[in-house]
Amino acid sequence: MKRKLAAAITIAGMMVSVAACGGNSGKDSGKDAGPDSWKGQTLTVWTMDGSAPPQWTKDVQAAFEKKTGAKVKFEIQKWDGIQQKITTALSEDNPPDVLEVGNTQTPAYAATGGLADLADVKKDIGADWTPSVSQSSVYEGKQYAAPWYFANRVVIYNKAIWAKAGITSTPKTRDEFFKDLDTIGKKTDAEPLYLPGQNWYFLDGLIIGQGGDLVKKQGDKYVSNLADPKVAAAMETYKKYASYSKAPKDKDEATPQQATIFAKGKTGAFIGMGWEAATAIQADKSIEKDLGYFTIPGATADKPEGVFLGGSNLAVAQNSKKQSLAKEFLKVALSDQYEGELAKLSGIVPNKTSLEGNVKGNPAAEAAAPAAAGGGTTPLIPAWAAVENTPNPIKSYMTAVLTGKDPAAAAKDVEGEINKRLAQQN
């Protein structure tokens, strides 16, 4: 995957245009009556650019058409501007029947009434969906989407630098990792770790690992929970990691692209998505022979570090007149056969732990998979997207702590802005 799997939604305007789509159009009247009516119908499926490999699309299409007698038309969408495009489509009488939606975006679409309830799909094929990846497809207790594919951060390291430092194995605990970074700093001239001060999704993973939450319920609304001691503990861990880096404390991993820094061959490791290795190779092909990957280690060897799970769900439009056919498509596309095939072809984390064997042979995916079960997301509430809009106050909090401010004081400085943004959709 050559994109970040988690992007904030611009909620403004979304709630307005889709709000009307939860009416009578979602009832059975006018929809396909079932198998007897499927033959000759055409189902429209929106997938995002880069999500569905051509071989997977071909195989799913053939299996679906054989099973139902209906046709399926895949329409590839660009990420730029997709939130507004989906918002508009869901408000219309003739939307695409099945849509790929970002996992952190799903609650916003569900809250407007734009997505159909998929409880029956969950019952038929989702009993063993990994809870951590399935949680984003549930809103207010109802299944409004189905988990499709996911990815999380791993440690990408330079094997030559680690060998030069005399390190012969990868760390299994956080303390072992810190020890290895110390060794690299002492025995080589390399920067042990490249970690900019605002790698926000890595911090979110550390917060998840602490069992912390970024918001809390106060009466009937959500407010900031940034001052929680668990968040502070996660930030202190981040600060420890950052102590091994010379990266700017007021920049994120994309400014500059951390993979291009790593490609220069003077950095021991960085924490990023598996696809960032391809970015490094594109910057300097000579780095390819030295690439290695391992799971971000946790406090103990039996449990990897918490990670942010970015990914996509598949949803059925509430206004679709072919809901039963759309659900049959989900049952094919998300079956063990084709979910496993997607994992094999793309190196993504599948929606079931039992299918993770399909990533064998893909070292980045093999490093990512063990952490998925203990992963999580940003708060799954429609209002959250506004918090991540630029300038992201949590990034400001991170920089403040890294430059010497007490976490509690740094949290206090930005919580007013966070609460203001959360209140926009409460």
Side-chain angles (χ1 to χ4, degrees):
M1 286 168 286
K2 297 181 180 179
R3 60 178 177 83
K4 290 184 180 178
L5 291 175
I9 314 173
T10 301
I11 296 289
M14 176 179 290
M15 305 306 244
V16 175
S17 59
V18 190
C21 68
N24 291 335
S25 60
K27 298 187 181 299
D28 291 337
S29 177
K31 288 189 170 59
D32 54 335
D36 291 342
S37 68
W38 290 342
K39 190 173 182 179
Q41 290 195 42
T42 299
L43 195 75
T44 300
V45 177
W46 280 11
T47 58
M48 302 308 301
D49 187 24
S51 292
Q55 185 62 50
W56 182 90
T57 301
K58 179 181 177 182
D59 293 345
V60 168
Q61 183 173 19
F64 171 78
E65 294 183 355
K66 181 178 180 180
K67 180 180 181 181
T68 64
K71 300 293 184 182
V72 60
K73 179 172 67 172
F74 287 94
E75 296 183 353
I76 309 302
Q77 307 298 316
K78 299 293 185 183
W79 284 100
D80 187 30
I82 189 58
Q83 288 84 22
Q84 187 56 50
K85 187 171 184 178
I86 290 178
T87 298
T88 300
L90 291 176
S91 70
E92 296 174 341
D93 290 335
N94 190 31
D97 304 293
V98 177
L99 310 91
E100 175 184 348
V101 291
N103 63 334
T104 59
Q105 302 165 6
T106 303
Y109 297 125
T112 64
L115 306 181
D117 189 335
L118 300 182
D120 48 349
V121 175
K122 162 78 172 176
K123 181 179 179 182
D124 288 346
I125 65 168
D128 53 348
W129 286 336
T130 305
S132 60
V133 303
S134 181
Q135 64 179 346
S136 67
S137 58
V138 177
Y139 178 69
E140 294 188 341
K142 291 187 178 181
Q143 192 82 34
Y144 283 108
W148 189 22
Y149 69 86
F150 305 88
N152 51 264
R153 283 160 178 76
V154 299
V155 181
I156 301 174
Y157 73 105
N158 186 315
K159 292 187 288 186
I161 290 174
W162 284 54
K164 186 177 180 180
I167 304 169
T168 59
S169 62
T170 56
K172 299 299 183 289
T173 68
R174 188 188 302 146
D175 284 344
E176 287 177 7
F177 192 11
F178 290 149
K179 183 178 178 181
D180 288 341
L181 295 174
D182 278 327
T183 301
I184 291 169
K186 292 173 182 176
K187 294 189 175 181
T188 77
D189 58 359
E191 180 180 17
L193 179 73
Y194 185 85
L195 180 67
Q198 297 182 347
N199 191 334
W200 140 240
Y201 288 114
F202 175 46
L203 173 63
D204 188 48
L206 297 176
I207 293 169
I208 290 165
Q210 287 285 342
D213 292 305
L214 284 161
V215 297
K216 60 185 177 182
K217 202 76 179 286
Q218 191 175 83
D220 61 351
K221 64 181 181 180
Y222 286 97
V223 297
S224 172
N225 195 41
L226 199 62
D228 188 298
K230 292 179 180 178
V231 176
M235 189 61 219
E236 289 296 338
T237 299
Y238 190 103
K239 189 174 182 178
K240 174 71 172 176
Y241 275 113
S243 69
Y244 295 100
S245 177
K246 300 174 184 177
K249 293 178 174 61
D250 60 349
K251 302 294 182 183
D252 65 18
E253 68 274 24
T255 48
Q257 288 287 344
Q258 60 183 3
T260 61
I261 300 296
F262 178 79
K264 296 176 182 179
K266 298 179 180 180
T267 303
F270 72 100
I271 294 166
M273 306 296 286
W275 55 260
E276 290 183 76
T279 302
I281 294 168
Q282 187 176 24
D284 189 338
K285 187 164 177 55
S286 66
I287 198 69
E288 186 172 11
K289 67 182 185 304
D290 295 325
L291 284 172
Y293 311 82
F294 60 86
T295 308
I296 304 171
T300 58
D302 61 330
K303 186 178 180 181
E305 184 57 81
V307 290
F308 170 79
L309 291 167
S312 284
N313 298 322
L314 291 177
V316 173
Q318 176 70 9
N319 282 359
S320 169
K321 297 178 176 62
K322 303 168 187 172
Q323 284 194 16
S324 67
L325 184 59
K327 291 174 181 179
E328 287 303 311
F329 174 83
L330 296 185
K331 292 174 186 177
V332 173
L334 300 174
S335 66
D336 286 2
Q337 179 177 353
Y338 296 111
E339 181 73 4
E341 181 182 2
L342 182 68
K344 193 173 214 178
L345 291 171
S346 294
I348 51 84
V349 176
N351 61 17
K352 297 180 180 181
T353 304
S354 60
L355 297 176
E356 289 177 359
N358 287 281
V359 304
K360 189 174 182 179
N362 183 318
E366 287 185 272
T377 67
T378 50
L380 293 170
I381 55 175
W384 179 256
V387 176
E388 291 191 50
N389 286 343
T390 303
N392 184 336
I394 299 176
K395 289 185 175 182
S396 299
Y397 160 82
M398 295 172 72
T399 297
V401 175
L402 292 176
T403 53
K405 200 154 198 174
D406 177 75
K412 186 177 181 180
D413 285 346
V414 300
E415 283 196 314
E417 177 62 23
I418 293 173
N419 289 338
K420 178 181 175 182
R421 297 186 188 194
L422 288 171
Q424 292 174 15
Q425 301 297 338
N426 275 328

